[in-house]
Amino acid sequence: MTATQWLDTLSPWPREGFGLDRMRALLAALGDPQEAYPAIHVVGTNGKSTATITVEQLLLSEGLSVGSTISPHVESWSERIRVRGEEADLERAVAHVRAAAERVGATQFEIVTAAALTAFAEAGVDVAVVEAGLGGRLDATNVLRTRVVLLTNVGLEHTDVLGDTLELIAREKLAVVRPGSTVVLPDRTYAHLVPGADVLVGGAREAAEAFVGHPIAARPQVSLPGRLEERPGEVRDGAHNPDGARFLVERLPAGDYTVVASVLRDKDADALLRELRRVGSRFVATRSSSERALPAADLAELARAHFSHVEAVDDPVDALARAHELGAPVLVTGSLYLLGDLAQAERAAAWRG
């Protein structure tokens, strides 16, 4: 069984609840690789992956050796672990941690995080740029020698775990701050949550510059699968909650879009659709392979309150084709599962032909 096949059999959710005991035990068994380098920790609700890779590219432009890890992936697990700007050998990285991970009963996310941190130590990186998974305080990534914390933004998400107000969620995310860390915030709204810390206002650039201690001249252009990914006549973005949809709409290239989407049952689909209607009046509802996805017909029924033309097409590939028939540009969004399904179908078609 390959590493990716093994990872696919594991649950991303901890059975006993969130906590750091398993992660610390796993890392201890691996020699605590996270202690081998300082880190920039990227937390927030949306935009974390793009921010992480932007920081990576800025630091690479300064001649530093950089490891980075993002989540989730869209096309393949190998997207998650990068060394010196290139995807690491995922099979090898996971093989290094598998025995120890099985002994402690680590989760899918804990295993990939440990594999990344171990690969970084083996490569002798100067710095790791690490995207948090869920929240911060109890997230598996909260084990780092953190020099800089970047908070991208704060929105209502996973309220059953993180809290039901923006203040509580921000508190959970900023719990990763270490004594002496520099904290980069999008504005000063949550500065009171990090008393005594050196607080800067900004984003990825300010975080990278805080780490190196001087301005960086480079202006990298970052493109990631499923994050404002532009294709001919089409944009794909994994926005899966109202804040993510708002973040997307505010950055989307201008156009009258046909929207094709799948949404999970545990998301606020109505509020998400309310944001998406700002970019077009045509909507094609579909259903991703996730067992938590709303049926296409149910999503279409919700969408009729927001879009003048609504259709339901169960198969994602057929739904995308129908959206293009209705008129480009097309926006594919609502779920990273949907983007992954499309990527898998495209790989299969390319292999066949």
Side-chain angles (χ1 to χ4, degrees):
M1 185 184 294
T2 67
T4 55
Q5 290 170 334
W6 178 56
L7 289 171
D8 283 333
T9 68
L10 302 175
S11 171
W13 301 100
R15 293 187 183 89
E16 302 82 15
F18 291 91
L20 292 173
D21 290 347
R22 277 184 313 277
M23 190 63 185
R24 287 179 176 139
L26 174 55
L27 291 172
L30 297 169
D32 284 317
Q34 77 283 3
E35 297 295 335
Y37 40 78
I40 297 175
H41 205 166
V42 181
V43 298
T45 300
N46 296 297
K48 295 192 297 294
S49 294
T50 300
T52 297
I53 302 305
T54 301
V55 172
E56 172 209 81
Q57 293 296 307
L58 288 165
L59 296 178
L60 287 170
S61 76
E62 291 289 297
L64 296 176
S65 176
V66 185
S68 62
T69 180
I70 63 172
S71 66
H73 64 275
V74 174
E75 296 179 1
S76 71
W77 283 97
S78 60
E79 295 167 25
R80 296 196 182 208
I81 306 176
R82 294 161 59 99
V83 174
R84 301 186 183 93
E86 302 292 335
E87 292 181 356
D89 184 338
L90 183 90
E91 291 288 332
R92 187 170 184 271
V94 173
H96 277 190
V97 307
R98 181 169 179 174
E102 289 178 324
R103 284 197 299 273
V104 303
T107 67
Q108 192 183 71
F109 184 70
E110 290 165 345
I111 291 164
V112 177
T113 301
L117 299 180
T118 303
F120 301 161
E122 183 181 59
V125 302
D126 299 314
V127 54
V129 191
V130 177
E131 175 182 350
L134 192 154
R137 181 175 64 92
L138 298 177
D139 189 69
T141 61
N142 192 19
V143 293
L144 307 169
R145 280 180 51 206
T146 303
R147 286 254 303 272
V148 178
V149 173
L150 169 61
L151 175 70
T152 58
N153 49 43
V154 180
L156 291 173
E157 61 162 356
H158 302 293
T159 53
D160 55 330
V161 177
L162 303 180
D164 58 3
T165 69
L166 295 178
E167 174 92 2
L168 288 172
I169 291 171
R171 190 179 297 276
E172 286 288 309
K173 293 179 183 298
L174 290 172
V176 303
V177 175
R178 300 284 187 267
S181 296
T182 297
V183 183
V184 181
L185 304 176
D187 54 51
R188 299 196 69 86
T189 302
Y190 300 110
H192 65 284
L193 297 177
V194 285
D198 181 14
V199 175
L200 304 175
V201 173
R205 173 168 296 277
E206 287 72 21
E209 291 177 347
F211 184 86
V212 298
H214 58 257
I216 298 175
R219 301 282 170 181
Q221 298 297 312
V222 171
S223 177
L224 292 173
R227 283 84 169 181
L228 278 172
E229 178 187 358
E230 295 191 43
R231 296 180 172 218
E234 186 180 308
V235 177
R236 297 186 184 185
D237 188 273
H240 56 277
N241 56 42
D243 287 293
R246 188 177 309 114
F247 187 87
L248 163 63
V249 166
E250 291 169 354
R251 290 158 179 80
L252 198 63
D256 178 20
Y257 287 83
T258 300
V259 180
V260 56
S262 174
V263 180
L264 300 184
R265 284 192 183 92
D266 58 353
K267 305 302 179 184
D268 187 345
D270 191 67
L272 189 153
L273 293 167
R274 193 178 305 123
E275 295 295 335
L276 294 177
R277 72 182 179 187
R278 295 160 54 191
V279 301
S281 60
R282 304 173 303 278
F283 186 88
V284 180
T286 190
R287 183 175 189 172
S288 75
S289 59
S290 171
E291 62 184 17
R292 294 186 291 138
L294 280 169
D298 292 355
L299 181 58
E301 187 61 31
L302 291 171
R304 290 190 178 96
H306 303 286
F307 295 84
S308 61
H309 183 96
V310 176
E311 298 183 17
V313 180
D314 286 324
D315 181 78
V317 174
D318 293 341
L320 179 58
R322 178 57 181 154
H324 278 282
E325 289 173 358
L326 290 173
V330 169
L331 171 62
V332 188
T333 190
S335 171
L336 283 165
Y337 289 104
L338 172 60
L339 304 188
D341 291 342
L342 292 171
Q344 183 177 13
E346 288 159 359
R347 285 196 302 272
W351 182 81
R352 289 194 300 269

